[in-house]
C-alpha cells in the first residue's frame, strides 16, 4: 500500500493548525525528485488569522514583557535549538538539497544569534538630550513596532529567518513568517522550538503558500507594521511597492553578482579554494555567491589550470553523505533557469571550460543535479556576468591592473559582497574601500556572524541585518518633552 506523504498544517497561536480548507503544495526532495510532504497553500483568510493572533500577542503581553524576561526566553530558545539542530538540519536538506554538513554548520551557529540579541534586549534604551532651555527635560524611548512580517527564500530558511526573528523578538515585536513555497517544512518544525522555549502563544507564527498568494496577503494586511524580505530583486520590488504604498518600513536583502578578485600576489592555493567556496559551496545557491572570478592576467593560466582540475573532481551526489561536496539544484524552476543562462553563455561566446550540463550518471537519476560549471574568458557584458544565476556557474574574467579590476568589479547593478585575494596589505585596504559592496572579504569568503552587519548596496537591498544596530530597525523612537517650570507663554508662536 502506498503511504501518502504527511500533510503539515500552519503554525498559529503556538500550535499546528490543520488548515484543511486550503489547497496543498507538494514538497519535493530535490536529491531524488520524490514528494515527501505537503504544506498548506494559505490564502488571505489564514494570513489574516495569523496576523490577528500575532497582534493579540503583541498587545496582550509580549510588547510589554520586561526586557530581561525577553532575554531569558531568547536564551532558552537557543538551548532548545541546540538540542534539535541535527533534526532541523536534516529537514532543511530534504527541503532544499543543500549539504548536510553545510546545514549542520548553519544550525549549530543559529543559537549564537538568539544569545547575541538576548544580550541586546535589555540594552535598548533611548537618550537624554540636553536643551538650551534648562527647564526642559528631554528624552527618547525606543518602542517595538508591532507585528513584523518576515518573508524568506528557500536557500537557507532558518539562518536567514533568524537574522530577522532574533532582533525583532528582542525588541518586543511579534512575528508572522512566510517561508518559500519550495522549502517551508523546516520553518514549520522550527516554530515548535518557540513553544518549547516558553514563548507566549502567538508571538511566532508561520503561514505557508505562494509569494503572490500568502506572501502578498501578508505584506498588504493592515495589521502588519513592518516587512523584512529576503529573496529576488523582482519579488523584492513588488514587496517594497506594497509596503511603501501602506507607508510601512521595509528591509530588503536581495541578490548579487559578487566579484571574487584574485591579484597576482595572492596566496594561490588559498585563492583557488576561495573561488571554489565562493561559487560551488551550496551549489552556488547563496546570495553572496562569488559568481564572477576576476583574475589577474599575470596568473590567469595557473589559476585556470588549478581551478579546472579541482572543479572536475567535485563530488556531486547525495547531500546527506559526508563525502558529497555538491548536492542538487533546489527546485525545478531554478534548474531550468541555470540551464538557460548556461546556454546564453555558450551563445554569447564564453569558453566553456568545465561542466555545463546535467550529469549523466545513473546514481544521480531523479535528482535535480547540474554539473559544476566554469566559463573562461568571459566578458563582463555577457548575461552570465550580469545576471544572478543562483547556481554552480562561475564566470572567469581576466583583468590587467588594480584599476581595471575595481572598474569591472563595480560594473554591475548589484552590490552585495566581494572577495579580494592579495598579500599586499595596502592594496587590501585600498581596494576594500573602492568596492561598491556591503561586505568585503579579504583572503576569506562567505563568513557571517551575529555581531557583523550584513546588507546589500545598489540593487542588492535596502537596510542591513545583524550587528547590534539591526535591532533599532525593529523599534520606533518616541521623543518626550517635559517642561519642569510650566508658564504661560505665547500660544500663537512655535517654541524653538
Ligand atoms: P523569491 O524572490 O522567488 O522568493 C523569496 C520569497 O518571497 C518566497 O517566500 C516567495 O514566496 C516570496 N515572494 C515571491 N513573490 C512575492 C510577492 N509578490 N509578494 C510577497 N512575497 C513574494 O526568491 P527565492 O528564489 O526564494 O530565493 C533566491 C533569491 O533570494 C536570490 O535572488 C538570492 O540572491 C536571494 N537571497 C538574498 C539573500 C540576502 O541576504 N541578500 C539571502 C538569500 C537569498
Amino acid at each position: 500500500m502506498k503511504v501518502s506523504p504527511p500533510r503539515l498544517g500552519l503554525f498559529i497561536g503556538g500550535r499546528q493548525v490543520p488548515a484543511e480548507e486550503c489547497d496543498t503544495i507538494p514538497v519535493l526532495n530535490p536529491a531524488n525528485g520524490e514528494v515527501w510532504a505537503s504544506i498548506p497553500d494559505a490564502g488571505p483568510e489564514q494570513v489574516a488569522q495569523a496576523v490577528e493572533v500575532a497582534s493579540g500577542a503583541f498587545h496582550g503581553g509580549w510588547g510589554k514583557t520586561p526586557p530581561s524576561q525577553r532575554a531569558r526566553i531568547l536564551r532558552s530558545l537557543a538551548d532548545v535549538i541546540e538540542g534539535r539542530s541535527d533534526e532541523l538540519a536534516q529537514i532543511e536538506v530534504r527541503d532544499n538539497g543543500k549539504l548536510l554538513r553545510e546545514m549542520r554548520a548553519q544550525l549549530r551557529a543559529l543559537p549564537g544569534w538568539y544569545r547575541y540579541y538576548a544580550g541586546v534586549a535589555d540594552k535598548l534604551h533611548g537618550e537624554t538630550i540636553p536643551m538650551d532651555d534648562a527647564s526642559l527635560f528631554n528624552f527618547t524611548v525606543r518602542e517595538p513596532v508591532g507585528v513584523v512580517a518576515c518573508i524568506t527564500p528557500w536557500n537557507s530558511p532558518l539562518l536567514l529567518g533568524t537574522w530577522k526573528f532574533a532582533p525583532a523578538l528582542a525588541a518586543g515585536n511579534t512575528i508572522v513568517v512566510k517561508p518559500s513555497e519550495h522549502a517551508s517544512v523546516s520553518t514549520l518544525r522550527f516554530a515548535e522550538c518557540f513553544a518549547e522555549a516558553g514563548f507566549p502563544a502567538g508571538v511566532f507564527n508561520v503561514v505557508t503558500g505562494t509569494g503572490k498568494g500568502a506572501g502578498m496577503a501578508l505584506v498588504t494586511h493592515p495589521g502588519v507594521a513592518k516587512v523584512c524580505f529576503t529573496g529576488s530583486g523582482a519579488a523584492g520590488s513588488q514587496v517594497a511597492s506594497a509596503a511603501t504604498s501602506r507607508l510601512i518600513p521595509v528591509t530588503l536583502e536581495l541578490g548579487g553578482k559578487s566579484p571574487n578578485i584574485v591579484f597576482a600576489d595572492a596566496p594561490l592555493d588559498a585563492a583557488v579554494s576561495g573561488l571554489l567556496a565562493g561559487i560551488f559551496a551550496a551549489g552556488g545557491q547563496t546570495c553572496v555567491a562569488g559568481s564572477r572570478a576576476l583574475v589577474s592576467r599575470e596568473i590567469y593560466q595557473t589559476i585556470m589550470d588549478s581551478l579546472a582540475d579541482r572543479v572536475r573532481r567535485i563530488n556531486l551526489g547525495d547531500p546527506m553523505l559526508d563525502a558529497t561536496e555538491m548536492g542538487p539544484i533546489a527546485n525545478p524552476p531554478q534548474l531550468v533557469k541555470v540551464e538557460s543562462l548556461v546556454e546564453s553563455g555558450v551563445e554569447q561566446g564564453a569558453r566553456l571550460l568545465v561542466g555545463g550540463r546535467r550529469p549523466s550518471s545513473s546514481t544521480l537519476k531523479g535528482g535535480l543535479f547540474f554539473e559544476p560549471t566554469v566559463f573562461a574568458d568571459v566578458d563582463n557584458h555577457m548575461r552570465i556576468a550580469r545576471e544572478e544565476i543562483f547556481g554552480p556557474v562561475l564566470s572567469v574574467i581576466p583583468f590587467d591592473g588594480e584599476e581595471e579590476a575595481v572598474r569591472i568589479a563595480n560594473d554591475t547593478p548589484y552590490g552585495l559582497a566581494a572577495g579580494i585575494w592579495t598579500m599586499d596589505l595596502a592594496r587590501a585596504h585600498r581596494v576594500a574601500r573602492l568596492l561598491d559592496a556591503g561586505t568585503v572579504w579579504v583572503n576569506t569568503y562567505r563568513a557571517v556572524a551575529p555581531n557583523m552587519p550584513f546588507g546589500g548596496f545598489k540593487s542588492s537591498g535596502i537596510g542591513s541585518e545583524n550587528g547590534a544596530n539591526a535591532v533599532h530597525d525593529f523599534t520606533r523612537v518616541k521623543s518626550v518633552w517635559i517642561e519642569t517650570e510650566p508658564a504661560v507663554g505665547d500660544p500663537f508662536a512655535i517654541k524653538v
Side-chain angles (χ1 to χ4, degrees), residues 151-156 160 163-164 178-182 209-212 214-217 219 229-236 238-239 252-256 285-288 331 334 337 388 390 416 454 456 460 465:
I151 298 185
T152 53
W154 45 260
N155 63 322
S156 292
L160 300 169
W163 293 4
K164 304 161 184 31
K178 209 284 305 159
S180 165
E181 56 274 39
H182 298 296
T210 63
K212 289 198 167 21
M216 222 0 116
V219 175
F229 173 89
T230 299
S232 62
Q238 288 174 15
V239 166
L252 301 176
E253 294 285 0
L254 308 174
Q285 299 165 99
T286 73
C287 52
V288 294
N331 54 67
Q334 190 56 30
K337 181 179 176 193
E388 184 185 44
F390 221 60
L416 192 58
F454 178 88
S460 291
E465 299 184 318

Side-chain angles (χ1 to χ4, degrees), residues 471-482:
V471 77
H472 291 163
D473 290 345
F474 295 92
T475 64
R476 54 187 194 180
V477 176
K478 182 176 282 174
S479 297
V480 183
W481 298 61
I482 305 220

Side-chain angles (χ1 to χ4, degrees), residues 2-18:
K2 197 165 181 292
V3 182
S4 42
R7 181 188 164 127
L8 288 105
L10 304 171
F11 191 92
I12 300 176
R15 61 189 183 87
Q16 295 279 345
V17 178

